[in-house]
Amino acid sequence: MSFEEEWSAARATASSQVAMRLNQAPADPGGGTGGADLALDQDQIGAVGSEAYKLHTRLQTDGKHAATATTEAAGALTREGFASGAALLKANSVWESQVKTLVAACANISNGLNYSLSSHAKDEQQLHADFTASAIDKYLT
C-alpha cells in the first residue's frame, strides 16, 4: 500500500470517527439528568488561556532555535553542489511558516479566552445590577 493510499484510509477513518462523536452525545456516566453537556468554570478557562500564552511565548523562541544552523548547513550543501541544500532551505521555510501559524493560533486562543472571561464578568455584573434594580423597583411600586 502506498503512502497516499494509507494516508487517505487514515483520514477517512478519522473523519468517520469525528462525525460519529459529533452526531451523538455520550450517556451521562454520573447517572444525572444530563442537562448540560459542557461545563467550564472561569478557573479552567483561565488555565487553558494561560497555557496557550505560555506555548505562544515558547514557540516564538524555541521554534526558531535551529534556523541559523539549518541555513548554514543548506548553504554548505549548496556550495558543494548537493541539491539537498535547496531542499533543506525549503524545508526550513515551510517549518518557519508553520511555526508562525501555530504562534498565531496560540495567540488567538489565549486572547479569545481572555476576552470570554472579561465579557462573561461584565455580563454577570450587568445581570446582577438588573436583578438588583428590579428588586428595588418591586419594593418602590
Side-chain angles (χ1 to χ4, degrees), residues 72-94:
E72 290 173 1
L77 287 167
T78 301
R79 282 190 300 277
E80 294 297 322
F82 291 100
S84 58
L88 186 56
L89 274 179
K90 183 173 181 172
N92 187 53
S93 175
V94 170

Side-chain angles (χ1 to χ4, degrees), residues 27-34:
D28 186 9
T33 59

Side-chain angles (χ1 to χ4, degrees), residues 50-131:
S50 177
E51 290 301 316
Y53 179 76
K54 288 177 191 174
L55 182 58
H56 170 269
T57 303
R58 289 211 43 211
L59 277 171
Q60 284 184 313
T61 55
D62 294 347
K64 300 174 186 174
H65 77 276
T68 303
T70 303
T71 303
E72 290 173 1
L77 287 167
T78 301
R79 282 190 300 277
E80 294 297 322
F82 291 100
S84 58
L88 186 56
L89 274 179
K90 183 173 181 172
N92 187 53
S93 175
V94 170
W95 172 262
E96 287 176 356
S97 172
Q98 294 299 313
V99 168
K100 286 178 185 177
T101 301
L102 191 53
V103 166
C106 289
N108 283 338
I109 291 167
S110 178
N111 293 339
L113 291 174
N114 286 340
Y115 174 78
S116 294
L117 287 173
S118 174
S119 176
H120 178 72
K122 288 177 186 173
D123 290 346
E124 287 289 320
Q125 289 173 347
Q126 185 61 46
L127 285 171
H128 184 268
D130 291 346
F131 285 133

Side-chain angles (χ1 to χ4, degrees), residues 1-14:
M1 179 181 283
S2 74
F3 172 78
E4 291 299 326
E5 292 169 334
E6 191 173 343
W7 180 248
S8 294
R11 283 185 16 215
T13 301

Side-chain angles (χ1 to χ4, degrees), residues 30-43:
T33 59
D37 60 352
L38 176 63
L40 290 174
D41 62 27
Q42 290 189 347
D43 291 338

